[in-house]
Amino acid sequence: AQSVTQLGSHVSVSEGALVLLRCNYSSSVPPYLFWYVQYPNQGLQLLLKYTSAATLVKGINGFEAEFKKSETSFHLTKPSAHMSDAAEYFCAVGGNNRLAFGKGNQVVVIP
Amino acid sequence: EAGVAQSPRYKIIEKRQSVAFWCNPISGHATLYWYQQILGQGPKLLIQFQNNGVVDDSQLPKDRFSAERLKGVDSTLKIQPAKLEDSAVYLCASTLRDSGEAFFGQGTRLTVV
């Protein structure tokens, strides 16, 4: 079975500051890991994914995430927040034909 | 490539009424998921199909929810009778393979009054 833990439902960040969203996973099989973004009244859009190649993954809009097996983590970062980054972010773990999501982080960007 | 299509986008019904949602996945995607997303929460898997067979429906409230995927292509999710707590966004997603990303439709926002 797979599960994801995302702590801190709301995250406030100043414009231009580092964005850091934490994700820890549990999986009984080698995981595939994903970060999705959801804008209001929209479906989920893929930001980036880890599928057992490079552990540092670069995605769209300047986001990146690092897979750390020893820490069972896949934290999402962006060096400099932009107002357009305000959205909800979900970490997901897949494998063995299953896909499970975390509860999400609502990111608020402060001008 | 066309995305995942869902309809309707919005639906308001009274409790105890029935409702149906439709999803057409990306062509060639064997796996189809229905998720329920309650406001402020992450998507919760209701049912997963592989072609026209059910892979996982362990979290589907089977006394009121049903889903089918005839011919292994499009799918319908039905609620009968609806309860107030069913108010949520119902998301459909599809994947090409196990390691692939899930592509999501825009969802159907259900309000039960």
Side-chain angles (χ1 to χ4, degrees):
Chain A
Q2 288 115 335
S3 66
V4 171
T5 301
Q6 290 181 252
L7 298 178
S9 60
H10 285 76
V11 176
S12 294
V13 59
S14 297
E15 189 176 16
L18 172 71
V19 179
L20 170 60
L21 303 180
R22 299 179 186 276
C23 171
N24 288 89
Y25 69 90
S26 172
S27 178
S28 56
V29 298
Y32 306 114
L33 295 158
F34 308 87
W35 276 98
Y36 285 84
V37 61
Q38 187 177 33
Y39 298 101
N41 298 316
Q42 297 292 320
L44 277 71
Q45 177 185 356
L46 183 72
L47 271 180
L48 48 79
K49 63 181 179 181
Y50 165 77
T51 56
S52 76
T55 56
L56 182 63
V57 181
K58 295 187 184 298
I60 62 172
N61 302 338
F63 285 93
E64 64 180 38
E66 186 172 9
F67 171 68
K68 292 186 177 180
K69 183 178 180 179
S70 61
E71 299 178 8
T72 61
S73 69
F74 191 57
H75 302 330
L76 181 72
T77 60
K78 180 174 180 177
S80 177
H82 191 270
M83 295 301 294
S84 61
D85 295 327
E88 191 150 20
Y89 293 80
F90 295 95
C91 183
V93 60
N96 201 25
N97 211 25
R98 297 288 192 273
L99 185 63
F101 285 83
K103 292 187 176 182
N105 294 119
Q106 183 69 50
V107 172
V108 175
V109 182
I110 303 167
Chain B
E1 150 180 282
V4 177
Q6 287 189 249
S7 66
R9 283 296 311 276
Y10 305 93
K11 190 74 176 179
I12 301 174
I13 62 172
E14 295 182 349
K15 59 184 179 183
R16 293 188 289 274
Q17 285 187 323
S18 62
V19 65
F21 313 129
W22 174 81
C23 172
N24 191 14
I26 294 173
S27 177
H29 282 199
T31 303
L32 184 149
Y33 307 85
W34 282 103
Y35 288 90
Q36 179 192 59
Q37 187 178 19
I38 293 173
L39 186 64
Q41 298 182 19
K44 169 190 159 186
L45 180 67
L46 291 176
I47 189 167
Q48 177 181 341
F49 291 96
Q50 183 77 15
N51 297 307
N52 61 346
V54 175
V55 173
D56 184 353
D57 64 356
S58 58
Q59 297 193 86
L60 186 74
K62 298 180 186 64
D63 57 334
R64 298 184 300 107
F65 286 65
S66 65
E68 61 182 9
R69 190 183 184 196
L70 299 176
K71 301 180 182 179
V73 182
D74 56 351
S75 176
T76 56
L77 176 70
K78 298 179 181 178
I79 307 175
Q80 181 179 14
K83 293 185 175 181
L84 296 176
E85 59 261 35
D86 298 332
S87 295
V89 175
Y90 291 84
L91 295 166
C92 179
S94 68
T95 58
L96 179 61
R97 59 185 183 280
D98 188 26
S99 63
E101 65 180 276
F103 291 84
F104 283 82
Q106 289 192 300
T108 296
R109 182 177 297 277
L110 174 68
T111 302
V112 183
V113 297

